[in-house]
Amino acid sequence: MRTDTPQTIYLADYTPPAFLVDAVHLTFRLDPNATRVISRIEFRPNPDATSQDFMLHGEHLKLIWAKVDGQDVQTNLTGDSLKLDVPNAPFIWEAEVEISPATNTALEGLYMSRGMYCTQCEAEGFRKITYYPDRPDVMAVFTVRIEGNLPVLLSNGNAVAQGEGWAEWHDPWPKPAYLFALVAGDLIAKSDTFTTRSGRQVDLNLYVRPGDEHKCDFGLDALKRSMVWDENFYNAEYDLDIFNIVAVDDFNMGAMENKGLNIFNSAAVLASPETSTDANYERIEAIIAHEYFHNWTGNRITCRDWFQLCLKEGLTVFRDQQFTADERSAAVARINDVMALRGRQFREDNGPLAHPVRPESFVEINNFYTATVYEKGAELIRMLKTLVGDQDYYKALDLYFRRHDGQACTIEDWLKVFEDTTGRDLTQFKRWYSQAGTPRLKVSEAFENGAYTLTFRQNTPPTPGQEAKQPVVIPIAVGLLNPDGGEVVETQVLEMTEAEQSFSFDGLGAKPIPSILRGFSAPVILETDGIGDNAAFLLAHDTDPFNKWESGRALARRTLIDMITKGAAPDQAFLDALLAVLRDDSLDPAFRALVMRLPTQDELAQTLFDMGHTPDPMAIYQALETLRQTMAQHMQDALPRIYAAMHVDGSYSPDAEAAGKRALGNAVLSLISLTDGGAQAQKQYDSADNMTQQLAAFGCLLNIDQSDTATQSFYEQWKADRLVIDKWFGLQISYAAPAKAAEITEHLTQHPDFDWKNPNRFRSALGALTGNAAGFHHPSGASYDLLADWLIRLDPFNPQTTARMCTAFETWRRYDTDRQAKMKAALQRIADTPNLSRDVTEMVGRILNG
């Protein structure tokens, strides 16, 4: 337990910085245990400041000397800050500090990753490098000199000079310190070039460790496609002479958008057919696009303070979602976006960690890199685009780039460009940024004399710290179908602004069947109890792909809930509808694969909880297993034909068409394995020439407990590839039977290859355990104890990863009293740990008390 009380930071307390920075000159003399950082910073008083107190942030720094305008000064070190009296005029601050990258296991600031120097400064890591006003609204031009005996020495911006053992970099664009980056190591560059729309040539480099050169081509191709797309859709052209990406093995996040030097978790950039799945390729493509798009929405225009984090992240997530939709199947991309939103953000909104898209306060900003900020933040941008229309959306973005280039902005600045472009008042829309929770949207219908009326009622349940909620603006995309399946009213967007509101459609010859919330036009929970049971009809006839999928999902969820709560047999009508979709060759295979995917255990648990039931994880698990077995038997005549039809000839390609066929083929294979004892899966495993097919077959064998030989052969084949072995760890735990999940996880954590200080490896095992819902929530409580043990062990080394893994306990109040007691005890044991980090103290406190 911490003996001090972590300080809470409030949005309402924001004040402008007392001093601004015009230029930063840094010299790094690299040494694993004693790197010297010499800073020369040009300060000037901020005329808009309310205080002239000079304060610099610094953590774990050994100050060697400090000067102001060339004169030695005595500093006042108070906790993690440095204070002193300075002139009320422009001045130069100089200092030298010593830091130890080799012992920096938190992976914030400057640290070592298998012999490579690497930085991660977002959100507040720069203060672990040198003393500085480490806040996003202080932007400056950086010049960096790196001295070291490594062949590659990189920083932000353009290379301006280099020699034996040194290199200098200059970034001409003002940036906050969180965008600073430095990499030094024995690396190899895979290079390419890109010519911008205005004709400038940009050198592109993807730096990797020796041996990974063959995994670079897709990343570079995705980067070039992202650059073209951003020019075409947002008129956003790249602005430096060089764009570098570096793959790093030890990294807390997916990637970081540092100006001109993007640092990537190796898992988020390295790809080859033999070692990467289709899902890996799609994720890599999206993350590369995301970090590149930050060049304008995050770098050229950044956020004023960390409460505005959604301004750069929500907007950039939406942009990378647009890119993925254009590069692949738009319908499948949208369904995947919504599944991710519901799986992570709806769960967050419904529990103790609920918070607004723009929070009002925080203790540790790293704890607010959440699905609410990212995914729900993106949904707010999507709604805004829906409300104003495509033309005015892009006009507003052009104005945003012109008006705020080089600035640190707020949500108010963002909304103002839309108000100025469209003349709309967005005061009510702004509530989406300040109110936590997922609105519930109830709908009822009436039909009389050719007039069809839909009445909507919105309500947002209380969340921690917010009881009463005001109505928000909800764009509701609606289409109407006639009883024979034809569309009588094409998609219209209804703009709901009141707590209750009705919309009428006149001149109809018969009562229509409504298709509501098409494309998932707002991040709400739609409750259609007041409307007839239309799910099967919409699954068969809806012209909106999202709602077609949504109807199948609703049928599956209803079938499973009846099996769990009533002991019902699997619904034959649902099975017939599913088989009809499977057989419909006119539908995109990737779409059919999504329809075949059943609701998750966590989704069913939340549905039961919302219905007033106490979810039983074992009952949910058994219902899913029974339904899968029944599906396999019901569809067994069709499965071999579909499986054969999805075979992809020729060499591997990660394109959407081929990936869609593999997705459906592997979904079918999982069902075939339930009836043939794994014979077909073993054949696919033995003959697979790409990781998608091999891993899918391996999963099928694990699922039916026929994997002993494959488990060992897979390890022997791939033990030299760290990213593939991450998959090997995770898959064994994900498919473990509930009673064995904790035991298998504990066994694997004793494996010689389990490097628990590596975030990817830690998440591959312990993250897989928390994702195996029935195993994690086994009545013994063994998984709770095992996770708590490991989180307590990890926290002193890596508080960020520890805090994020604590979210596995966020649904503890959902379950029965025995499970609640066991989870609460595990949480309390973490909370009572001596010298617990600020990150974990805040996270556990919110989970326990929210």
Side-chain angles (χ1 to χ4, degrees), residues 111 113-114 116 118 187 206-209 212 215-216 219 245-256 262-272 275-276 280 283-284 287-288 721-724 726-727 758 760 763:
Y111 65 91
S113 173
R114 297 175 65 224
M116 179 197 304
C118 180
L187 301 169
L206 175 47
Y207 284 92
V208 297
R209 296 183 186 279
D212 285 335
K215 297 183 178 181
C216 297
I245 293 175
V246 182
V248 178
D249 293 333
D250 299 280
F251 205 68
N252 282 331
M253 296 181 283
M256 178 61 208
N262 284 189
I263 299 178
F264 273 66
N265 187 317
S266 296
V269 67
L270 300 182
S272 71
T275 61
S276 307
N280 294 148
R283 178 173 181 261
I284 288 167
I287 294 176
I288 285 176
D721 192 302
R722 56 200 178 278
L723 297 180
V724 177
D726 285 338
K727 297 175 171 67
N758 176 270
N760 288 352
R763 288 188 289 258

Side-chain angles (χ1 to χ4, degrees), residues 440-686:
R440 268 65 170 171
L441 190 63
K442 294 185 177 181
V443 58
S444 58
E445 64 179 353
F447 182 71
E448 185 175 358
N449 298 325
Y452 180 70
T453 301
L454 290 170
T455 299
F456 297 93
R457 298 170 182 83
Q458 62 166 295
N459 173 61
T460 305
T463 54
Q466 288 188 342
E467 294 298 321
K469 306 294 176 77
Q470 295 179 293
V472 291
V473 181
I474 303 177
I476 309 168
V478 172
L480 301 181
L481 285 74
N482 62 31
D484 66 6
E487 193 163 69
V488 292
V489 174
E490 295 183 353
T491 303
Q492 296 184 10
V493 177
L494 313 177
E495 188 170 334
M496 184 179 186
T497 58
E498 306 296 331
E500 180 175 332
Q501 203 164 345
S502 297
F503 301 88
S504 293
F505 303 86
D506 299 323
L508 301 176
K511 181 182 176 183
I513 292 87
S515 172
I516 303 171
L517 212 65
R518 285 185 157 183
F520 200 66
S521 57
V524 301
I525 294 174
L526 181 64
E527 300 175 358
T528 58
D529 294 344
I531 291 182
D533 182 4
N534 299 318
F537 176 87
L538 293 173
L539 176 59
H541 300 290
D542 205 330
T543 56
D544 179 71
F546 176 82
N547 272 10
K548 190 179 189 73
W549 168 83
E550 178 83 306
S551 299
R553 192 79 163 189
L555 285 172
R557 193 164 47 242
R558 186 184 312 151
T559 295
L560 286 159
I561 294 300
D562 285 347
M563 292 171 66
I564 295 164
T565 60
K566 303 175 182 177
D571 181 55
Q572 288 298 308
F574 165 67
L575 294 170
D576 290 340
L578 208 57
L579 181 57
V581 170
L582 179 65
R583 285 173 166 163
D584 188 348
D585 293 333
S586 69
L587 296 173
D588 179 1
F591 176 82
R592 285 186 275 170
L594 286 174
V595 174
M596 296 291 291
R597 191 184 302 179
L598 295 176
T600 66
Q601 296 180 50
D602 189 75
E603 181 181 346
L604 292 168
Q606 186 60 51
T607 301
L608 288 162
F609 185 76
D610 290 341
M611 294 172 62
H613 298 282
T614 299
D616 179 349
M618 291 305 300
I620 294 171
Y621 171 80
Q622 291 296 341
L624 282 164
E625 291 298 298
T626 298
L627 183 54
R628 288 192 184 98
Q629 190 69 48
T630 306
M631 287 167 57
Q633 294 168 353
H634 188 75
M635 302 175 179
Q636 59 183 337
D637 292 341
L639 295 177
R641 180 191 72 80
I642 303 294
Y643 178 76
M646 293 303 109
H647 176 73
V648 180
D649 292 322
S651 60
Y652 175 87
S653 170
D655 68 88
E657 181 180 357
K661 287 185 175 181
R662 285 189 290 268
L664 182 56
N666 288 328
V668 167
L669 179 66
S670 68
L671 296 178
I672 292 174
S673 299
L674 298 178
T675 59
D676 77 345
Q680 188 62 53
Q682 188 65 56
K683 288 181 183 178
Q684 179 169 309
Y685 180 87
D686 292 338

